[in-house]
Amino acid sequence: MMRRGRVVLNWFESAALRGNPAGDPHERRVPVYLPPAYDAQPGRRFPVVFVLAGFTGRGRMLLNDNAWAPALDDRMDLLIARGMGQMILVMPDCLTRFGGSQYLDSTANGDYARHLVGELVPWVDATYRTQADRAHRGIAGKSSGGYGALIHGMRNADVFGAVACHSGDMCFDYCYRPDLAKFCALVDEAGGLEPWWKGFSSRIQKSKDDFLALNILGMAAAYSPNPATRPFGVDLPCDLATGEFREDVWARWLALDPLQLVERHAAALSSLRLLHIDCGTRDEWNLHLGARLLHRKLEALGVAHVHEEFDDGHMNVGYRYDVSLPRLAGALGAEP
Amino acid sequence: MMRRGRVVLNWFESAALRGNPAGDPHERRVPVYLPPAYDAQPGRRFPVVFVLAGFTGRGRMLLNDNAWAPALDDRMDLLIARGMGQMILVMPDCLTRFGGSQYLDSTANGDYARHLVGELVPWVDATYRTQADRAHRGIAGKSSGGYGALIHGMRNADVFGAVACHSGDMCFDYCYRPDLAKFCALVDEAGGLEPWWKGFSSRIQKSKDDFLALNILGMAAAYSPNPATRPFGVDLPCDLATGEFREDVWARWLALDPLQLVERHAAALSSLRLLHIDCGTRDEWNLHLGARLLHRKLEALGVAHVHEEFDDGHMNVGYRYDVSLPRLAGALGAEP
Amino acid sequence: MMRRGRVVLNWFESAALRGNPAGDPHERRVPVYLPPAYDAQPGRRFPVVFVLAGFTGRGRMLLNDNAWAPALDDRMDLLIARGMGQMILVMPDCLTRFGGSQYLDSTANGDYARHLVGELVPWVDATYRTQADRAHRGIAGKSSGGYGALIHGMRNADVFGAVACHSGDMCFDYCYRPDLAKFCALVDEAGGLEPWWKGFSSRIQKSKDDFLALNILGMAAAYSPNPATRPFGVDLPCDLATGEFREDVWARWLALDPLQLVERHAAALSSLRLLHIDCGTRDEWNLHLGARLLHRKLEALGVAHVHEEFDDGHMNVGYRYDVSLPRLAGALGAEP
Amino acid sequence: MMRRGRVVLNWFESAALRGNPAGDPHERRVPVYLPPAYDAQPGRRFPVVFVLAGFTGRGRMLLNDNAWAPALDDRMDLLIARGMGQMILVMPDCLTRFGGSQYLDSTANGDYARHLVGELVPWVDATYRTQADRAHRGIAGKSSGGYGALIHGMRNADVFGAVACHSGDMCFDYCYRPDLAKFCALVDEAGGLEPWWKGFSSRIQKSKDDFLALNILGMAAAYSPNPATRPFGVDLPCDLATGEFREDVWARWLALDPLQLVERHAAALSSLRLLHIDCGTRDEWNLHLGARLLHRKLEALGVAHVHEEFDDGHMNVGYRYDVSLPRLAGALGAEP
C-alpha cells in the first residue's frame, strides 16, 4: 500500500475575523496536509504551500472526493509516491456570505488578507514543523484562489517565495464586466438587491443565474466596498435604479485587476522563485485571454514566469495541480 | 370563413445592392401583404408599414408558420377581422452573408439604407395603391429590425411617420460588449477569423457560439467597416492577436447606438405620429435595460413615445405585433 | 436569374374533417409547388409528390425560410436548375390540436388518412396537370411525416408508387416509450391531464417538457383513441392515478409500429418503385436504431429499398430532401 | 462553539474484495463518524447507521463540503446540537470501475454485499463502541445508496433494524429502461463497448451522455453479470449488433427491482423498526413514480412505513438526511 500523508482538520479562532462586518464566523476549519515523512521523520522540517480555494469555496472543499479526480490530499500522496518533494499544504477558509473574499481586506467582508498573512502564516509556522521563511513558503490557487495567490505574490513577496495561479481572475473587463448587465437585470427582476438576496438565500438549489449574480455582488464586496451603503456595504458598478454603468465604481475594480497592478509590482514578482500562470483555452470567463495579456506584460517587464495553456474550460481542472505542485516543490527546495 | 388578405412574393432587382462588397445577391424577394380590401375595393389606397426582420432574418421569414404563433400575414388577417384598419405591409430582405446589415449603409455590407429608403419606398408606392406620404408610412421591426425601425425613424422621419421598435438593439455596452471577449476566444480557438468563417460556413447545424460570433462580426460589418482590411472589410473591437479591447473601434460602434443618437435626433423623433418601444423584461441581450435608458432620455427630451415592458425573453415575441400594428394603424389613419 | 417555380397557397375545404372530434378546422391551407415548366409548358403533365410535415407541423411550414437552409420551394428550384426532373409537390395540413394526426384516421383526431388519400389526391389530380396514377405519385416526409409516408406506402401502395421516409417514427419501444414515465410525471405534477392541457395551451413559450408531453398525448390520439374517455378521447399507456404502465394500451401502439407492420405489408412495399429510408446516426429519439431494425426486416423479406444513414441528429435535416427528391423524380419518371 | 464529533478515515483491507473481477482495489477508505459523546463518555455505546453513497460515489464523498449544504459530519453535529440522539455513522466504499456495485454481490463487480454485511458490520462492532445488534443498527442511503439500503433491509433484516431510502432506484421500467436505446446508440456511435469504454476512461471531463451510458453498464454489472462474456463480464439488455431489446436480460434486471421483490420480503420489511422512503416529485429518473408504486404495494401488504415526497429533483438533496437521521435515531434508541 502506498505511503500516505494525513490531514488535520484544525479549527482556527481568528482575531482578525472576529466581529467581521459580513457576520461570518470567526472560527474556521483550516485543513493541513502533512506528508508521509512528517510522522516518519519527527525532526524534519518541510516547505509549506498555502492553497486557496475558488469562489464559493473554502479549504475543506479541496479535499472533496470524486470518482475520477483525486482530492488534494490523495493527489499529494500520489505525486510524492512518484518522487515529488514532500511539503505541507495549508487550506485556508476565506469564504464569506458573499461567496468569497478574494483574499483581500475589505470593509464589506472583513480582513481576509490580514487573516491569511498575519494570522495563518505564523500559526502554521508555530504549529507544524515548517521551514519558516519565504524561500520555503509558496502560495497557489485556482480561479479566485489563483487571484489570491497572484495578489499576495505581488503584495507579500516577502512572505511567499513562489506562486502558482491557475485560471486566476484577471482582465476584469473580460471576466466580470460581461456579466454586469445581466446582474442588473436579475436584481431588477427580483425587485432589488435585498429581495434578490432573500430569494437567493432561501433557494436550496442555486441556479446558474444565482451564481452569476452572487459573483458580481461578491466582487463588489471585495473590490468596491462602501461602509456608507446599506445593507451590504458595497458600491455596485451599475446603478440599480436606472441601469446605468458606473465608471467610477468600475475604476475601483480595475485598480485591483492584476493586469493593472503588474507594473507596480514587477520587482516583487521578479523576486519570486516561481511564478506559474496557466489557464484553459476554453475558459468560460475568458480568463485565458487575461492570462495572455498578463504574460505579454510580464515579458515586456522582464519578469521570469511560466505561462501555459491547456485544452479545457474553467471547471474541474484540479489536475493542473499535478503540474504546479511539483514545480512549487522544486522552487521551494522540497525533498523526497 | 374569415376574409383574408394575400401575399405577393415579389422579386426585386436592386441597383443599390448590385455588386455589393459582401458578394450577396442583388435580386431580393420582397413579400408584400395586401389586406382583404385591397382586391375588394380596387380604387382604395392604403397606409403602408415596412416590417424589418431581425438578425439572420429577411422579409420572407416573417411569413414563417408555427403551430402556436401565426405568421405575419395570418396575424394581419386576424387583427383586421377584429377591426383594425387595413394596411399594406412590406417585408424587405436586407440579409447579408454576415447575418444582417442593421439596415445601414456600410462599405462592408453594401447600401442597405439606400436600398430600403431610396429604392423600396418609391417602388412600393409605384407598384401598389399606397397612400404615398410619410403620414401614411410606418416602419417597424424586432431586434435588429427594431434597431432599423428606430434608426430610420431618427434619420428619415421625412419618409416614415410612425415607428414601432420591439426589443431593438440599443445600449451596445449591455447588448454586444459582453460577447466581445467570447468572440475573441472563439475566433482564436478556430485559428483566426478566416478559419472561423470557413468552419462556420461549412457547419450545417450552427451552434449557439456560432451565432454569438456571427453577431459580433455582423455588427462590425455594420458599425465599423473598414475597406482597407482583408478579407472581410471590418475593424473588430478587439485585437485578435493580443486579445486587447480596442476603444477606438468601440467608439465607432457607440456612435451608432440609439442611446447616443437620441439627443441629436430629438426633433425628428418628436415629429413622429407614433414612437412605440417595448421589450421583454427577461431579454437575454439585456435590451430591456437599454429600452429603459432610452425611455428616460426621451422623457427628459420631452419626446412623446410609448414605452412598454412585457414578461418574456427575446425570442418568439411576434405576438407583440398584436400590440404595435393596431397602434400603427391608428397613427397612420388606416381604416377598417 | 434562375428559373423558378411558384407556390399556390390553396385553401381546401375538407368534408372528411368537417366536425372532426378534436374541434380542429376543416378548412386547410394546402400549398402546392408548381415547377418552372408548369407555366412555361401549359399542355404538360407532371408527376406529383405529397410531402408530409413532422409533428406540430403542417404543409406551410415546409416553406419556412431560414438563412442557411432553403425552403422546400427554393430547394426544388435549385434541384431542377441542376437537372432534376420537374414535379409538383403537395404539402397537406394534417395538424391537430394534439400536435399531429400521424396521417391516420382516429376517433380522437378525425379522419386524416381519408382526408389525405380520399380527398387531397383526387383534388390535386382534378386541379393541377398531374400524371394521375400511382406510377407518377409519390409520398415523402420527415419524422411523423416519414411515418405517414411509410404507413401510406404500406396501406395505399395502389395510390402511391414511391416512398421517401426521413427519420420516420418507428420502433416505438425506443422512440416513444422512454418518454412515458416523464409524461406521467409531468402530467401528475400539473395536477392531471386537463390542468396540464390548460397550462400548456396558455403558455406562449412552450418548453422542452411541453413538447415531450404533447408528443405522447398526440401519439395516444393517433394510436390509442378511445371515444369513451373524456375529455380527450384517448387511452394513455400509463395509468395516471397509480403511475403504472399499461401493457394493453401499449399493445395498441405497437400494432401501428412500422416495425410490426412490415411483414404484413411486404408485398405492397415490394411493389414500390422506390422505398427510401434514412436517418441521422445521432437521432435524439433513437430513430436510427429503428431504421436499422426495419432495414434488417426488409432485407430478410427481400423487399428492395434504400437505407442510408447520415451524421446528424433529428432536427433541421431538410437537406436530406436533396437526396430523396431526385430519387423520387427518377422513380416517378419526372423529366427535366 | 458547538460540540463536534469527529471523523476517522479508516483504511479497510477487504478479504471479500481481494482479487475482485473488476480489478478494483481491495483496500478501501471507510470514514466513520463518531459523535461528540463518543470521546466525552468513553464507556458509552452507540447505535450505528451505515450510510451508502449513490452511483459513482463512495463513503468519503458524503463528507464533501459545499458552501450551502453541510457535509454529513457537520450535518450530524448540527442535528445532535439540536437534540437528536447520538449515533455512529459508517460510510462504506462500494465504488467499482463501472460506477458502483448497487451494494450487491455480482460476478462482474465482486462481492460487495458480502463486504458490507459480512466484513464491515463485524469490523465496526469490533472497532468502535457500537450497540452491536440489529435493534441498534440501521442502514440508509440516497439513489443507488437508497437502493442498497432497501435491498439490505429486505435481505438482511436480521442485521439492520431500520432503513431510510432516499430517492432510491426502483421501478426499473421507469428509471433505467428509458435510457437503454440511448445507451445502445452511444455505444454504437463509439464503435462498440470497448472503444466506448476507452473513450470514456480517457475523457477528463465526463459528459452527461457518459454518465447515462456508464449508468446502464454499471447496472448490467450489478443485475445481469455474465462471466462468460468478454471483457466486461456483463449481459446487456439490448443487442449491440442489431439494436434489439433483450427481454431475457431485462427479466434479470427486473428480478432485482424492489418493486418486484417487495412481496417476497414483506415479513422482513415488517420487522423493521423504521422503513422510511422518500423522493422528490421532480426526480429526473422518475423515481418518485417508483416510490409511489412501492408505497401502494407496502400498504396493500400491510407493511408499516413512511412515504414522503418533497418538491425537488434527484440531485443535491442531502438535506433529506435532516429528516431521516432523527427518525433513525429514534427507531434505534439513540440518546442525546
Side-chain angles (χ1 to χ4, degrees), chain B residues 204-205, chain C residues 72 75 79 140-142 164-167 276-280 306-328:
Chain B
I204 289 175
Q205 311 287 6
Chain C
L72 190 56
R75 197 177 290 280
L79 289 167
K142 187 229 145 184
C165 167
H166 299 294
S167 309
H276 170 106
I277 295 158
D278 66 19
C279 197
V306 177
H307 172 243
E308 289 182 355
E309 300 197 330
F310 51 94
D311 178 27
D312 211 336
H314 190 75
M315 308 308 287
N316 308 317
V317 296
Y319 59 87
R320 290 300 299 176
Y321 282 115
D322 289 348
V323 176
S324 64
L325 286 169
R327 284 195 184 140
L328 285 162

Side-chain angles (χ1 to χ4, degrees), chain C residues 171 173-175 178 285-286 288-289, chain D residues 176-187 212 216 238 243 245:
Chain C
C171 191
D173 273 308
Y174 284 171
C175 70
W285 284 268
N286 309 303
H288 57 306
L289 301 183
Chain D
Y176 306 136
R177 187 166 171 167
D179 289 340
L180 283 188
K182 182 75 176 166
F183 169 80
C184 283
L186 289 170
V187 169
L212 183 152
I216 297 300
C238 53
F245 182 67

